[in-house]
């Protein structure tokens, strides 16, 4: 009986753990992609870290907050734990403007550790050539196809699905052009 009980508990822990694997875990952040269910616990609970929540679906989609309360059943959120590994922004020696702010961007949230932006690419309108001085967590809110072009003219087509999540390191200079359809994302710069 005891062996069956431990086997059942082990199975439940394994099953529960599968839902709680971070999608990104590095020296700067741990990122959880959570679709809330009845009784779903905040995956960042129990850690003594600052947390940012990006709400991806539901009544408050496209917003962000400090801290993370469980969402309504069926809603999707990114829960981002900020680790104590600060990396200062790079000095911009490129002559190009910083990535943010830029035209058509909306600042959602800011404190001494992060800035969260909401951005929509417009068809036929490239972003200004810009320099990323900070690491950034990006979540694409819809299918988004972007051609990134460096100052030297090198082009890369990046195609993202809705809710693709990326951690992009600082020290990049490029412009972006929406290739087709629509494209939008929420981006959290780490100060």
């Amino acid at each position: 009986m005891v062996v069956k009980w431990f086997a059942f508990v082990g199975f439940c822990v394994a099953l529960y753990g599968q839902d709680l694997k971070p999608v990104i875990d590095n020296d700067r952040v741990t990122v959880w992609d959570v679709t809330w269910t009845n009784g779903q616990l905040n995956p960042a609970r129990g850690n003594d870290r600052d947390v940012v929540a990006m709400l991806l679906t539901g009544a408050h989609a496209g917003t962000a907050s400090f801290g993370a309360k469980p969402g309504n059943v069926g809603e999707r959120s990114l829960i981002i734990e900020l680790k104590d590994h600060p990396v200062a922004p790079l000095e911009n020696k490129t002559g190009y403007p910083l990535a943010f702010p830029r035209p058509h961007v909306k600042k959602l949230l800011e404190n001494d550790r992060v800035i969260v932006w909401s951005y929509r690419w417009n068809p036929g309108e490239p972003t200004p050539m810009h320099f990323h001085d900070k690491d950034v967590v990006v979540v694409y809110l819809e299918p988004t196809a972007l051609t990134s072009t460096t100052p030297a003219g090198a082009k890369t087509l990046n195609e993202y699905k809705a809710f693709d999540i990326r951690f992009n390191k600082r020290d990049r200079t490029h412009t972006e052009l929406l290739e087709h359809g629509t494209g939008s994302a929420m981006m959290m710069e780490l100060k």
Side-chain angles (χ1 to χ4, degrees), residues 101-134:
R102 64 172 86 157
H104 312 298
V105 74
K106 178 181 177 186
K107 186 189 295 184
L108 300 177
L109 200 62
E110 182 175 13
N111 70 6
D112 61 331
R113 299 195 63 189
V114 301
I115 307 172
V116 180
W117 305 95
S118 177
Y119 186 73
R120 174 169 295 284
W121 288 269
N122 294 312
E125 184 182 338
T127 64
M129 185 69 69
H130 57 268
F131 174 70
H132 289 272
D133 66 328
K134 300 172 194 71

Side-chain angles (χ1 to χ4, degrees), residues 20-40:
L20 295 178
K21 290 181 182 173
V23 293
I24 296 172
D25 191 15
N26 60 34
D27 59 346
R28 305 281 323 267
V29 296
T30 300
V31 180
W32 309 87
D33 184 357
V34 178
T35 299
W36 298 102
T37 60
N38 277 329
Q40 173 79 43

Side-chain angles (χ1 to χ4, degrees), residues 88-102:
L90 291 173
E91 181 181 350
N92 183 0
K93 298 178 182 179
T94 66
Y96 296 109
L98 293 177
F100 300 101
R102 64 172 86 157

